Amino acid sequence: MKSQLKFLCVLLGLAATQVAAKVDDLPGYVDLSHIAVPEDAKESIEVNLKKPLLRLAAAAVQLSDPELARIIDDIDLIAVTGFTVAQEDMSVFQAEMARIGQQLGEQGWEKAARVREKGGEQFEVYLKAKDEEIVGLLVMGFEKGQEAVFVNLAGRIDPAQIGRIGSRLNISPLDSLHLD
C-alpha cells in the first residue's frame, strides 16, 4: 500500500512538473507573479489551479453535473491573486491595471467589459481569442480602500459558463460574471 501511494505521489509530481513547464506557453496565460501582496494587507488570497487539480475538480462533479465537468476539464489554469489595499496605495494598483491592460492590448487581447464607479470600484475584463475560441480571460479590479483582485483563466473557455465555474469553485470575482 505504501509503495502504491509513493508511486502515485511521484506520478502526480511529474504531471505537475510537466504542466508547470507548459503554463507559460498557454495563449490565455497572463503572468501575474510580479503583483506582490502588500505586507500590510489584512487579508489575501492566492490560488493557482493547474490542469491536474482541475481534472480532479472535474472528476469530482462528473456524476452530479457532467456539463460542468466538461467545462472545467477544458480549462488549463485558474490563477487568482487578491488582497486588501489601503486607500493611499490604490494609485499603485490603478497604474498596474493600466500597464497590464496596455500590454494585453499589444498582445491581441480584447477589452470585453469595463466598470467604473466614481470614487468606487473599477473592474476590467479582457478576452483572448484564437481560431474563433476564447482561450484566455483576465478579470482585474479593485474597490477603493478595500481590495484588489486579479483572476486569469486559460484554456478553452465558454463565456456563458464563467459565472457557474466561479460559483462551483468558490471564486467570488467570477461567480457573478456573465459574458453570454
Side-chain angles (χ1 to χ4, degrees), residues 54-70:
L54 290 168
R55 281 189 182 143
L56 283 173
V61 300
Q62 178 64 43
L63 289 176
S64 63
D65 196 338
E67 177 65 14
L68 181 62
R70 183 198 60 76

Side-chain angles (χ1 to χ4, degrees), residues 124-142:
E124 296 180 358
V125 178
Y126 289 84
L127 299 175
K128 175 75 170 188
K130 181 179 179 185
D131 300 328
E132 302 296 317
E133 278 190 327
I134 295 174
V135 295
L137 171 117
L138 178 71
V139 178
M140 58 181 173
F142 62 86

Side-chain angles (χ1 to χ4, degrees), residues 10 21 28 33 35 41 44 49 52 57 68 78-79 99 106 108-109 119 139 143 150 173-174 176:
V10 168
S33 64
I35 299 172
S44 67
L49 301 176
L68 181 62
I78 299 176
R99 187 192 69 73
E106 292 168 359
W109 288 67
V139 178
E143 189 171 342
F150 300 83
L174 294 180
S176 61

Side-chain angles (χ1 to χ4, degrees), residues 79-122:
V80 179
T81 300
F83 42 86
T84 55
V85 181
Q87 179 70 33
E88 60 271 10
D89 295 332
M90 291 309 294
S91 62
V92 172
F93 296 101
Q94 283 179 300
E96 184 62 17
M97 282 178 56
R99 187 192 69 73
I100 291 171
Q102 180 179 355
Q103 182 181 26
L104 292 176
E106 292 168 359
Q107 296 172 358
W109 288 67
E110 180 181 329
K111 186 184 291 186
R114 180 176 170 179
V115 175
R116 281 188 173 180
E117 291 184 4
K118 187 175 182 177
E121 63 183 35
Q122 176 180 335

Side-chain angles (χ1 to χ4, degrees), residues 13-23:
L14 288 172
T17 302
Q18 291 300 313
V19 169
K22 295 179 183 180
V23 167

